[in-house]
Amino acid sequence: MKKQKHQDHDYSLEAIPRNAKKGFLSMLVVMLGFAFFSASMLAGGNIGTNLNMGDFVKAVVFGNILLCIYTGLLAYIAGDTGLSTHLLARYSFGEKGSYLLSGLVSITQVGWFGVGVAMFAIPVSKVTGIDVWPLIIVSGLLMTATAFFGMKSLTILSMIAVPAIAILGSISAGKAVVDIGGIAGLVAIEPSGSMTMSAALAAVVGTFISGGTLTPDFTRFSKNRKIAVSTTVIAFLIGNSLMLAFGAVGAMATGQADISEVMFAQGLIIPAIIILGLNIWTTNDNALYGSGLGFANITKQPKSKMVIINGIVGTLLAMVLYNNFMAWLNMLNSFIPATGAVLIADYFIINKRSYTDFENTRFKNVNINAIIAWVAGVIGAYVIPGITPVNSVITAMITYVVLTKLTSKKETEIKSEEKIVA
């Protein structure tokens, strides 16, 4: 009997077949749903209250361009190969070495899933009087259920959530601006603190560079590289910019960065619950989906099984994660961008955009060069002044390329000497 090894419809352990590829619109709504991230509003609120309007716009535009370059390159690789972030890592990190990336990303995403569930349940409990734990259990199970069904349910959910968040958020932000005297009143607000442009850029890029490392998990479904890259770039330029702007307007006008909190203050209770729920739902489903693929790479089990386990763990630990591990999760986030940098360097520079067929490739167990480059990238993020996540990516890329060239040259010399001796 033929062994049924890869029967999940999300192709956890193989390349996406041609008949499963999706077109521009389907991919665009999924990527917009991916980019609609609650933490970006908090970052926008922090930046908006510490910079004048002109500098805020500059930081958002240039920061998201940097994000687009990083995620766009990863999208290109996935559009070309049809492989997830975790399977792509086997080429550069090795079979077992890829577990580093998968473990880091998966643990972090399960953590953020739990935090997201609590971020929905706590404010809804406050305004409705419903006990927080039933809200956590019900919302956690619903989010897990949609993530279980993979890209099909992510697409449907995003088609509902993306326009709802954009329309309701814009109405609320517009009302907040009117209440403080229109655009003139908004521009006239003096920053309550000070922030350097490099710090603002780091904050913009930092909102999504870690999650952006998972871009291939979604763009691998694109029919071609053009769709993969274009939908990713549009999603980050529009989606992330919109979230940052909502946060800035809310914080400057009402003192609240999260648009749902602004809506609660405006008395828009039902729309606030809808926008809060949909915003966190899309983010959490993407987090659970990515973590499922990561643990599938490690355990060799289908993504769907891993999603159920991750969803249950994240839901049960929601309050613990929310109350105790935010700083820890942020620290893990700082470890992730360097892994994506290694993927980019290996594909574009070392292998010149040409990978061998995944099914027929014998991967190294562990590529020590990739591990060293990752460590160098993490250190670079902390010790090199400037835009922290960008420093991490550039340091890791340079280190990986230099080490790979040096070891490749050494291996060639050893082989030459062996031929001469023979």
Side-chain angles (χ1 to χ4, degrees), residues 31-295:
M31 293 308 294
L32 280 169
F34 183 40
F36 280 5
F37 183 38
S38 294
S40 294
M41 288 191 282
L42 300 178
N46 184 42
I47 300 166
T49 54
N50 284 282
L51 293 178
N52 61 47
M53 185 57 69
D55 286 339
F56 172 77
V57 172
K58 288 177 188 175
V60 169
V61 171
F62 288 116
N64 277 319
I65 286 173
L66 291 172
L67 263 182
C68 285
I69 293 170
Y70 178 76
T71 57
L73 290 172
L74 289 170
Y76 183 100
I77 302 171
D80 185 38
T81 63
L83 297 171
S84 69
T85 307
H86 313 278
L87 299 188
L88 286 171
R90 294 188 189 182
Y91 287 94
S92 48
F93 284 87
E95 173 84 26
K96 298 290 194 295
S98 69
Y99 297 173
L100 168 69
L101 182 150
S102 294
L104 272 175
V105 168
S106 299
I107 291 169
T108 307
Q109 296 304 304
V110 172
W112 282 117
F113 174 84
V115 169
V117 171
M119 284 176 68
F120 171 74
I122 292 170
V124 172
S125 176
K126 285 179 181 177
V127 298
T128 63
I130 300 172
D131 186 69
V132 72
W133 269 107
L135 288 169
I136 286 175
I137 299 299
V138 171
S139 58
L141 291 177
L142 283 173
M143 293 172 189
T144 301
T146 49
F148 174 84
F149 291 106
M151 277 296 289
K152 186 175 182 179
S153 62
L154 284 180
T155 304
I156 295 170
L157 178 62
S158 295
M159 283 183 172
I160 298 168
V162 166
I165 293 168
I167 293 168
L168 291 174
S170 296
I171 290 171
S172 177
K175 187 177 185 302
V177 171
V178 169
D179 290 343
I180 59 168
I183 299 297
L186 188 68
V187 173
I189 295 175
E190 291 292 328
S192 58
S194 61
M195 179 182 281
T196 64
M197 183 55 69
S198 62
L201 286 169
V204 173
V205 176
T207 59
F208 226 97
I209 194 167
S210 295
T213 305
L214 292 177
T215 298
D217 290 354
F218 310 101
T219 55
R220 65 197 173 114
F221 281 91
S222 302
K223 282 185 177 178
N224 53 52
R225 292 169 298 197
K226 184 178 179 181
I227 290 174
V229 175
S230 62
T231 54
T232 299
V233 170
I234 292 170
F236 281 101
L237 282 180
I238 295 177
N240 200 45
S241 295
L242 200 59
M243 292 295 103
L244 289 161
F246 283 166
V249 170
M252 293 166 73
T254 69
Q256 298 288 347
D258 192 315
I259 198 69
S260 60
E261 293 285 353
V262 175
M263 294 172 83
F264 283 137
Q266 293 170 334
L268 304 171
I269 306 298
I270 300 301
I273 292 174
I274 292 171
I275 197 171
L276 177 67
L278 289 176
N279 198 4
I280 290 175
W281 200 335
T282 55
T283 301
N284 267 13
D285 264 22
N286 284 297
L288 212 53
Y289 184 87
S291 69
L293 290 174
F295 282 122

